[in-house]
Amino acid sequence: MRRVRSARGAIAAVSMVALLMTASCASTPGSVTDASSPPPPPVVASPPPSAAPSATGAASATPGCTAPGVVEHVTFDQSSQGALGDFQVYLPPCYAAAPGSRYPVVYLLHGSGHDDAYWLEVGIVGAADDAIGHGKVAPMILVMPDGGPTFGTGRGGETFATFLTSELIPRVDASYRSIATRSGRAIGGISLGGGLALTIAAGAPTLFTAVGGHSPAVRDPAALAAHLTAGGLRVWLDVGAGDSLRDGSISLEKELRGLGGDVHLEVPEGTHVDSYWTAHLAEYLHFYDQSFRASR
């Protein structure tokens, strides 16, 4: 088992891109606990949407709730990813106080050279607490897996994409009160993780209703656009005007537009740095929230 990393601790960044419940409502903001998880559920190719809880149980902000969200660090040593099977989970404010509620889930992938603590480092906990606490978005669960420096293959050559769709999603749906249907599930990522999120969503459109590429490393925009459009996914793309990866997002947006895809592109000032993503976290959360609302 790997050590528990602080939700705010510094993490070593290697190269740039080419590529949270039990806690009570009075928990400390962004606190981290080490979750001794139950055995993982059986591995399936993809969780059947029809067998999952209905989105009608979706939670709204708990009246009078002023507590922050809680973060858990979960070990998943029995996964195909081995030492990289851990993940961080953000549970929204007063999750434990609303046992009858279910929540949509966003799977957030880190960038190249980082790990499951990266989204915590750029400020997602504070951004989510603020957005949910002020009623800007509905409560949601955020899952941040560790894909290793480059999201390489795991035990037996299992790809990260297969791990996420066949192992991680069933594990999360069995362990947390998620809305375990396409309408309550989205995926997104930063940089290399953004490109991978787009690819995973394109290959498993029955699992996700939306995908966000945040300064994504885009490969083969035409093929990617064809799959995303055919799958009926809502797509968000953003990239700094001074980012060397800008052209990939612009090309993908053009291809998606040409095919009638549901896409939104933002090219604000900025480059490929942590501060850029920190500055736009509220926008990302708004996109995912609006996508869940549109899918109900």
Side-chain angles (χ1 to χ4, degrees):
M1 182 183 297
R2 298 183 300 156
R3 65 183 178 84
V4 177
R5 289 162 293 208
S6 168
R8 304 291 184 185
I11 55 175
V14 185
S15 60
M16 206 200 52
V17 180
L19 304 145
L20 149 125
M21 69 174 165
T22 314
S24 70
C25 285
S27 300
T28 302
S31 60
V32 180
T33 59
D34 187 13
S36 296
S37 305
V43 173
V44 295
S46 62
S50 60
S54 169
T56 55
S60 56
T62 304
C65 177
T66 59
V70 177
V71 176
E72 291 181 356
H73 170 263
V74 184
T75 57
F76 197 0
D77 295 336
Q78 298 179 56
S79 80
S80 64
Q81 298 302 291
L84 300 178
D86 292 9
F87 56 97
Q88 305 278 355
V89 181
Y90 167 86
L91 300 178
C94 292
Y95 171 92
S101 296
R102 289 189 172 273
Y103 304 83
V105 183
V106 185
Y107 290 82
L108 297 172
L109 309 186
H110 58 76
S112 174
H114 296 284
D115 60 15
D116 56 325
Y118 186 62
W119 278 88
L120 307 181
E121 288 299 318
V122 297
I124 194 63
V125 172
D129 281 352
D130 178 76
I132 295 170
H134 288 87
K136 300 173 185 175
V137 304
M140 63 181 75
I141 295 171
L142 307 176
V143 177
M144 298 152 277
D146 187 350
T150 61
F151 294 94
T153 55
R155 296 168 177 160
E158 202 74 80
T159 66
F160 181 84
T162 299
F163 158 71
L164 190 145
T165 59
S166 298
E167 299 177 56
L168 181 58
I169 288 177
R171 177 65 173 268
V172 169
D173 288 343
S175 302
Y176 300 95
R177 298 195 311 275
S178 62
I179 295 174
T181 61
R182 179 181 190 269
S183 64
R185 192 183 295 122
I187 186 171
I190 287 173
S191 191
L192 173 59
L196 183 56
L198 289 163
T199 299
I200 291 174
T206 61
L207 292 182
F208 306 100
T209 190
V211 57
H214 313 304
S215 310
V218 176
R219 291 183 175 182
D220 198 348
L224 189 56
H227 288 292
L228 289 169
T229 303
L233 288 123
R234 300 185 84 226
V235 181
W236 168 284
L237 298 169
D238 73 277
V239 61
D243 195 321
S244 62
L245 297 181
R246 182 189 61 185
D247 291 349
S249 289
I250 292 175
S251 295
L252 178 55
E253 189 266 353
K254 181 178 180 180
E255 295 286 347
L256 285 165
R257 289 281 181 204
L259 294 172
D262 186 348
V263 59
H264 180 85
L265 170 67
E266 292 280 345
V267 188
E269 290 301 316
T271 57
H272 208 82
V273 293
D274 295 357
S275 58
Y276 169 84
W277 302 304
T278 297
H280 297 283
L281 291 174
E283 297 167 43
Y284 304 164
L285 292 170
H286 178 75
F287 165 73
Y288 295 120
D289 176 65
Q290 290 303 305
S291 296
F292 294 137
R293 293 173 187 271
S295 296
R296 293 172 191 163

